[in-house]
Amino acid sequence: MAETVSMRDAYGEALVEIGRENPSVVVLDSDVSHSTKTVRFGREFPDRFFNFGIQEANMVDAAAGMATAGLTPFVHTFSFLAALRASEQIRTSIAYNYLNVKIVGAYGGLSDSYDGASHQSVFDLAVMRSMPGMTVLAASDEVETRAMVREIASRPGPVFLRLCRNAVPRIFDESHEFVVGRAHRLREGRDLTLAVTGILVSRTMEAAERLAAKGVECRVLQIGSLKPIDSEAIENAAGETGALVTVEEHSIIGGLGSAVAEVLGETIPVPLERVGLHDVFAESGDYSRLLDSYGMSVDDITAAAGRALERKGR
Protein backbone atom coordinates (compact mmCIF):
# COMPACT_ATOMS: atom_id res chain seq x y z
CA MET A 1 0.00 0.00 0.00
CA ALA A 2 1.26 3.49 -0.88
CA GLU A 3 2.63 5.68 1.89
CA THR A 4 0.12 8.25 3.16
CA VAL A 5 1.32 11.77 3.85
CA SER A 6 -0.46 14.87 5.20
CA MET A 7 -1.33 17.27 2.42
CA ARG A 8 -1.98 20.16 4.81
CA ASP A 9 1.39 19.72 6.56
CA ALA A 10 3.09 19.80 3.18
CA TYR A 11 1.14 22.91 2.31
CA GLY A 12 2.19 24.71 5.49
CA GLU A 13 5.84 23.89 4.84
CA ALA A 14 5.65 24.98 1.20
CA LEU A 15 4.04 28.27 2.17
CA VAL A 16 6.91 29.07 4.52
CA GLU A 17 9.43 28.25 1.78
CA ILE A 18 7.69 30.58 -0.66
CA GLY A 19 7.53 33.24 2.02
CA ARG A 20 11.31 33.10 2.46
CA GLU A 21 11.84 33.50 -1.28
CA ASN A 22 9.18 36.11 -1.98
CA PRO A 23 8.70 38.98 0.48
CA SER A 24 5.51 40.08 -1.28
CA VAL A 25 3.68 36.95 -0.07
CA VAL A 26 1.29 37.64 2.79
CA VAL A 27 -1.01 35.14 4.48
CA LEU A 28 -4.57 35.72 5.66
CA ASP A 29 -6.48 33.22 7.77
CA SER A 30 -9.97 33.03 9.28
CA ASP A 31 -9.15 31.61 12.71
CA VAL A 32 -8.32 28.13 11.39
CA SER A 33 -4.54 28.49 11.14
CA HIS A 34 -3.85 25.31 13.12
CA SER A 35 -6.11 23.42 10.71
CA THR A 36 -4.73 24.99 7.54
CA LYS A 37 -1.16 24.92 8.94
CA THR A 38 -0.66 28.59 8.12
CA VAL A 39 0.32 28.88 11.78
CA ARG A 40 3.85 27.98 10.63
CA PHE A 41 3.97 31.00 8.33
CA GLY A 42 2.65 33.18 11.15
CA ARG A 43 5.42 32.07 13.50
CA GLU A 44 8.16 32.80 10.99
CA PHE A 45 6.67 35.97 9.47
CA PRO A 46 4.40 37.52 12.12
CA ASP A 47 4.35 40.89 10.33
CA ARG A 48 3.04 39.23 7.14
CA PHE A 49 0.37 37.06 8.79
CA PHE A 50 -3.17 38.33 9.45
CA ASN A 51 -5.83 36.43 11.40
CA PHE A 52 -9.27 37.88 10.70
CA GLY A 53 -11.23 35.62 12.98
CA ILE A 54 -14.44 34.13 11.65
CA GLN A 55 -14.94 36.91 9.10
CA GLU A 56 -14.25 35.30 5.77
CA ALA A 57 -15.88 38.04 3.67
CA ASN A 58 -13.86 40.80 5.33
CA MET A 59 -10.71 38.72 4.92
CA VAL A 60 -11.26 38.39 1.17
CA ASP A 61 -11.89 42.13 0.75
CA ALA A 62 -8.71 42.90 2.71
CA ALA A 63 -6.77 40.52 0.46
CA ALA A 64 -8.10 42.39 -2.58
CA GLY A 65 -6.82 45.64 -1.14
CA MET A 66 -3.41 44.12 -0.42
CA ALA A 67 -3.19 42.85 -3.99
CA THR A 68 -3.81 46.34 -5.37
CA ALA A 69 -0.79 47.47 -3.32
CA GLY A 70 1.46 44.91 -5.02
CA LEU A 71 1.36 42.14 -2.43
CA THR A 72 0.59 38.46 -3.16
CA PRO A 73 -2.08 37.41 -0.66
CA PHE A 74 -2.78 33.76 0.13
CA VAL A 75 -6.26 33.53 1.69
CA HIS A 76 -7.28 30.54 3.84
CA THR A 77 -10.52 29.08 5.06
CA PHE A 78 -12.44 25.83 4.75
CA SER A 79 -13.38 25.17 1.16
CA PHE A 80 -17.15 25.33 1.68
CA LEU A 81 -16.80 28.75 3.33
CA ALA A 82 -14.77 30.11 0.43
CA ALA A 83 -17.34 28.85 -2.07
CA LEU A 84 -20.35 30.09 -0.10
CA ARG A 85 -19.81 32.65 2.66
CA ALA A 86 -17.09 34.58 0.83
CA SER A 87 -18.17 33.94 -2.76
CA GLU A 88 -19.69 37.38 -3.32
CA GLN A 89 -16.47 39.07 -2.24
CA ILE A 90 -14.38 36.67 -4.30
CA ARG A 91 -16.55 37.46 -7.30
CA THR A 92 -16.76 41.23 -6.97
CA SER A 93 -13.49 42.21 -5.32
CA ILE A 94 -11.09 39.61 -6.74
CA ALA A 95 -12.31 37.85 -9.88
CA TYR A 96 -14.09 40.85 -11.42
CA ASN A 97 -10.92 42.93 -11.04
CA TYR A 98 -8.59 40.01 -11.89
CA LEU A 99 -6.50 40.56 -8.79
CA ASN A 100 -3.49 38.48 -7.79
CA VAL A 101 -5.07 36.65 -4.84
CA LYS A 102 -4.65 32.94 -4.10
CA ILE A 103 -7.65 31.36 -2.35
CA VAL A 104 -6.84 28.10 -0.59
CA GLY A 105 -9.83 25.92 0.28
CA ALA A 106 -8.89 23.57 3.11
CA TYR A 107 -10.78 20.42 4.10
CA GLY A 108 -12.09 19.90 0.57
CA GLY A 109 -14.67 17.27 -0.40
CA LEU A 110 -15.77 15.06 2.48
CA SER A 111 -12.47 15.27 4.35
CA ASP A 112 -13.99 17.30 7.21
CA SER A 113 -15.80 14.07 7.77
CA TYR A 114 -16.97 14.35 11.38
CA ASP A 115 -18.44 17.87 11.23
CA GLY A 116 -21.49 16.98 9.18
CA ALA A 117 -22.97 18.02 5.85
CA SER A 118 -22.70 21.73 6.64
CA HIS A 119 -18.89 21.53 6.46
CA GLN A 120 -18.57 19.29 3.41
CA SER A 121 -17.46 20.83 0.14
CA VAL A 122 -19.44 18.95 -2.45
CA PHE A 123 -19.85 21.75 -4.99
CA ASP A 124 -16.97 24.16 -4.31
CA LEU A 125 -15.23 23.32 -7.58
CA ALA A 126 -18.44 24.03 -9.49
CA VAL A 127 -18.73 27.48 -7.91
CA MET A 128 -15.12 28.37 -8.57
CA ARG A 129 -15.07 26.97 -12.11
CA SER A 130 -17.96 29.25 -12.99
CA MET A 131 -16.10 32.34 -11.70
CA PRO A 132 -14.75 34.24 -14.74
CA GLY A 133 -10.96 34.46 -14.80
CA MET A 134 -10.45 32.04 -11.90
CA THR A 135 -7.82 29.30 -12.17
CA VAL A 136 -9.06 26.18 -10.35
CA LEU A 137 -6.71 23.49 -9.02
CA ALA A 138 -7.17 20.33 -6.94
CA ALA A 139 -4.09 18.65 -5.50
CA SER A 140 -3.73 14.86 -5.49
CA ASP A 141 -0.94 14.40 -2.94
CA GLU A 142 1.63 16.26 -0.86
CA VAL A 143 4.20 16.37 -3.66
CA GLU A 144 1.76 18.00 -6.03
CA THR A 145 0.62 20.35 -3.26
CA ARG A 146 4.14 21.72 -2.93
CA ALA A 147 4.49 22.03 -6.69
CA MET A 148 1.17 23.84 -6.99
CA VAL A 149 2.07 26.35 -4.27
CA ARG A 150 5.29 27.20 -6.07
CA GLU A 151 3.51 27.49 -9.41
CA ILE A 152 0.68 29.73 -8.27
CA ALA A 153 2.91 32.03 -6.23
CA SER A 154 4.51 33.19 -9.47
CA ARG A 155 1.37 33.03 -11.60
CA PRO A 156 -0.57 36.31 -11.97
CA GLY A 157 -4.29 36.48 -11.34
CA PRO A 158 -6.81 34.79 -9.05
CA VAL A 159 -6.40 31.11 -8.18
CA PHE A 160 -8.50 28.66 -6.16
CA LEU A 161 -6.56 25.70 -4.73
CA ARG A 162 -8.47 22.83 -3.11
CA LEU A 163 -6.75 20.73 -0.45
CA CYS A 164 -7.71 17.64 1.56
CA ARG A 165 -7.64 17.52 5.37
CA ASN A 166 -6.44 13.93 5.71
CA ALA A 167 -3.21 12.12 4.97
CA VAL A 168 -3.45 10.73 1.45
CA PRO A 169 -1.43 8.19 -0.58
CA ARG A 170 1.68 9.57 -2.25
CA ILE A 171 1.27 9.46 -6.02
CA PHE A 172 4.22 11.40 -7.40
CA ASP A 173 7.95 11.42 -6.72
CA GLU A 174 9.95 14.58 -6.14
CA SER A 175 10.63 15.01 -9.86
CA HIS A 176 6.94 15.76 -10.48
CA GLU A 177 6.44 18.97 -12.43
CA PHE A 178 3.08 20.68 -12.19
CA VAL A 179 1.98 23.02 -14.96
CA VAL A 180 -1.37 24.80 -14.96
CA GLY A 181 -3.54 23.43 -17.76
CA ARG A 182 -1.64 20.17 -18.21
CA ALA A 183 -2.89 16.67 -17.32
CA HIS A 184 -0.57 13.80 -16.38
CA ARG A 185 -0.85 10.36 -17.93
CA LEU A 186 -0.22 7.88 -15.11
CA ARG A 187 -1.04 4.70 -17.00
CA GLU A 188 -1.27 3.71 -20.64
CA GLY A 189 -4.29 2.01 -22.16
CA ARG A 190 -6.39 2.03 -25.32
CA ASP A 191 -9.68 0.47 -24.17
CA LEU A 192 -10.94 3.22 -21.86
CA THR A 193 -9.76 6.38 -20.07
CA LEU A 194 -10.17 7.02 -16.35
CA ALA A 195 -9.81 10.76 -15.68
CA VAL A 196 -9.38 11.66 -12.01
CA THR A 197 -8.84 14.77 -9.93
CA GLY A 198 -7.92 15.23 -6.28
CA ILE A 199 -7.25 12.46 -3.80
CA LEU A 200 -9.02 9.58 -5.56
CA VAL A 201 -6.01 8.77 -7.75
CA SER A 202 -4.96 5.70 -5.74
CA ARG A 203 -8.48 4.26 -5.93
CA THR A 204 -8.56 4.94 -9.65
CA MET A 205 -5.23 3.19 -10.16
CA GLU A 206 -6.51 0.21 -8.18
CA ALA A 207 -9.60 0.10 -10.38
CA ALA A 208 -7.34 0.14 -13.46
CA GLU A 209 -5.41 -2.82 -12.07
CA ARG A 210 -8.62 -4.77 -11.50
CA LEU A 211 -9.80 -4.01 -15.01
CA ALA A 212 -6.43 -5.03 -16.46
CA ALA A 213 -6.83 -8.42 -14.77
CA LYS A 214 -10.01 -8.79 -16.83
CA GLY A 215 -8.30 -7.80 -20.05
CA VAL A 216 -9.33 -4.13 -20.09
CA GLU A 217 -6.43 -1.72 -20.39
CA CYS A 218 -7.27 1.72 -19.04
CA ARG A 219 -5.47 4.96 -19.63
CA VAL A 220 -5.37 7.02 -16.41
CA LEU A 221 -5.28 10.80 -16.66
CA GLN A 222 -4.64 12.77 -13.48
CA ILE A 223 -6.11 16.24 -13.82
CA GLY A 224 -4.86 18.70 -11.21
CA SER A 225 -5.89 21.73 -13.25
CA LEU A 226 -9.66 21.86 -13.73
CA LYS A 227 -9.59 25.36 -15.18
CA PRO A 228 -7.89 25.73 -17.53
CA ILE A 229 -8.32 22.04 -18.33
CA ASP A 230 -6.12 20.05 -20.68
CA SER A 231 -8.57 19.84 -23.57
CA GLU A 232 -5.97 18.28 -25.85
CA ALA A 233 -5.34 15.36 -23.49
CA ILE A 234 -9.07 14.74 -23.12
CA GLU A 235 -9.69 14.96 -26.87
CA ASN A 236 -6.81 12.57 -27.53
CA ALA A 237 -8.19 10.16 -24.93
CA ALA A 238 -11.60 10.26 -26.57
CA GLY A 239 -10.17 9.60 -30.01
CA GLU A 240 -7.77 6.87 -28.93
CA THR A 241 -9.76 5.01 -26.25
CA GLY A 242 -13.36 5.74 -27.28
CA ALA A 243 -14.88 6.17 -23.80
CA LEU A 244 -14.15 7.98 -20.53
CA VAL A 245 -14.95 7.77 -16.83
CA THR A 246 -14.41 10.80 -14.58
CA VAL A 247 -13.63 10.31 -10.88
CA GLU A 248 -13.91 13.11 -8.33
CA GLU A 249 -14.63 13.78 -4.66
CA HIS A 250 -17.31 16.28 -5.63
CA SER A 251 -20.79 16.41 -7.06
CA ILE A 252 -20.93 15.02 -10.58
CA ILE A 253 -22.59 18.36 -11.40
CA GLY A 254 -20.21 21.20 -12.18
CA GLY A 255 -16.83 19.62 -11.37
CA LEU A 256 -14.50 17.39 -13.36
CA GLY A 257 -17.33 15.38 -14.92
CA SER A 258 -18.94 18.53 -16.27
CA ALA A 259 -15.61 19.97 -17.43
CA VAL A 260 -14.79 16.81 -19.39
CA ALA A 261 -18.32 16.66 -20.82
CA GLU A 262 -17.90 20.22 -22.06
CA VAL A 263 -14.71 19.29 -23.89
CA LEU A 264 -16.21 16.13 -25.39
CA GLY A 265 -19.34 17.97 -26.50
CA GLU A 266 -17.21 20.39 -28.52
CA THR A 267 -14.73 17.86 -29.92
CA ILE A 268 -15.31 14.08 -29.98
CA PRO A 269 -18.52 12.97 -28.26
CA VAL A 270 -17.92 9.52 -26.77
CA PRO A 271 -19.55 7.60 -23.90
CA LEU A 272 -18.86 9.28 -20.55
CA GLU A 273 -19.66 7.98 -17.06
CA ARG A 274 -19.19 10.16 -13.97
CA VAL A 275 -18.13 8.90 -10.54
CA GLY A 276 -18.78 11.26 -7.63
CA LEU A 277 -21.61 12.42 -5.40
CA HIS A 278 -24.98 12.21 -7.12
CA ASP A 279 -26.62 15.50 -6.16
CA VAL A 280 -26.59 14.80 -2.41
CA PHE A 281 -24.96 16.01 0.78
CA ALA A 282 -23.16 13.47 2.95
CA GLU A 283 -23.37 12.49 6.60
CA SER A 284 -20.65 12.46 9.26
CA GLY A 285 -18.39 9.47 9.74
CA ASP A 286 -15.14 7.78 8.89
CA TYR A 287 -13.65 9.45 5.81
CA SER A 288 -12.88 6.33 3.84
CA ARG A 289 -16.30 4.87 4.57
CA LEU A 290 -17.97 8.08 3.46
CA LEU A 291 -16.17 7.90 0.13
CA ASP A 292 -17.43 4.34 -0.30
CA SER A 293 -20.97 5.15 0.83
CA TYR A 294 -21.40 8.05 -1.57
CA GLY A 295 -20.30 6.37 -4.76
CA MET A 296 -16.53 6.80 -4.86
CA SER A 297 -15.28 3.28 -4.06
CA VAL A 298 -13.03 1.20 -6.29
CA ASP A 299 -16.07 -0.93 -7.07
CA ASP A 300 -17.95 2.19 -8.18
CA ILE A 301 -15.14 3.13 -10.53
CA THR A 302 -14.94 -0.34 -12.07
CA ALA A 303 -18.73 -0.46 -12.44
CA ALA A 304 -18.70 2.90 -14.23
CA ALA A 305 -15.97 1.58 -16.51
CA GLY A 306 -18.15 -1.40 -17.34
CA ARG A 307 -21.06 0.86 -18.27
CA ALA A 308 -18.82 3.04 -20.43
CA LEU A 309 -17.42 0.01 -22.25
CA GLU A 310 -20.92 -1.34 -22.82
CA ARG A 311 -22.01 1.96 -24.32
CA LYS A 312 -18.87 2.00 -26.43
CA GLY A 313 -19.98 -1.32 -27.88
CA ARG A 314 -17.05 -3.42 -26.73
Side-chain angles (χ1 to χ4, degrees), residues 125 129 134-140 144 148 155 160 178-184 196-198 222-231 234 256 259-260:
L125 298 176
R129 276 189 66 238
M134 184 69 70
T135 294
V136 180
L137 311 177
S140 289
E144 185 167 64
M148 284 182 170
R155 179 182 177 84
F160 176 74
F178 173 78
V179 178
V180 171
R182 182 187 299 171
H184 293 86
V196 56
T197 193
Q222 184 267 349
I223 300 177
S225 178
L226 280 84
K227 183 186 176 189
I229 199 165
D230 193 340
S231 299
I234 294 168
L256 177 65
V260 170

Side-chain angles (χ1 to χ4, degrees), residues 68-207:
T68 64
L71 297 174
T72 304
F74 278 68
V75 174
H76 303 82
T77 184
F78 291 169
S79 198
F80 83 97
L81 291 170
L84 294 173
R85 186 173 293 172
S87 61
E88 195 277 329
Q89 287 73 26
I90 292 172
R91 168 196 175 271
T92 304
S93 298
I94 294 175
Y96 181 79
N97 296 294
Y98 198 73
L99 293 180
N100 189 34
V101 178
K102 318 307 175 185
I103 302 149
V104 182
Y107 289 38
L110 306 184
S111 65
D112 195 3
S113 54
Y114 283 104
D115 287 335
S118 66
H119 279 54
Q120 290 162 352
S121 302
V122 299
F123 54 89
D124 51 333
L125 298 176
V127 172
M128 293 300 171
R129 276 189 66 238
S130 66
M131 200 84 68
M134 184 69 70
T135 294
V136 180
L137 311 177
S140 289
D141 73 352
E142 53 94 12
V143 173
E144 185 167 64
T145 297
R146 296 175 190 274
M148 284 182 170
V149 172
R150 185 163 295 280
E151 172 76 6
I152 68 177
S154 60
R155 179 182 177 84
V159 176
F160 176 74
L161 169 59
R162 188 203 221 201
L163 300 176
C164 177
R165 176 192 185 280
N166 297 60
V168 299
R170 176 175 283 158
I171 305 299
F172 298 106
D173 61 31
E174 297 300 331
S175 66
H176 174 63
E177 179 184 0
F178 173 78
V179 178
V180 171
R182 182 187 299 171
H184 293 86
R185 192 181 298 191
L186 302 182
R187 184 186 175 101
E188 299 294 340
R190 299 193 66 86
D191 296 326
L192 176 74
T193 296
L194 306 176
V196 56
T197 193
I199 60 88
L200 296 177
V201 174
S202 61
R203 290 180 174 220
T204 302
M205 293 294 283
E206 183 178 344

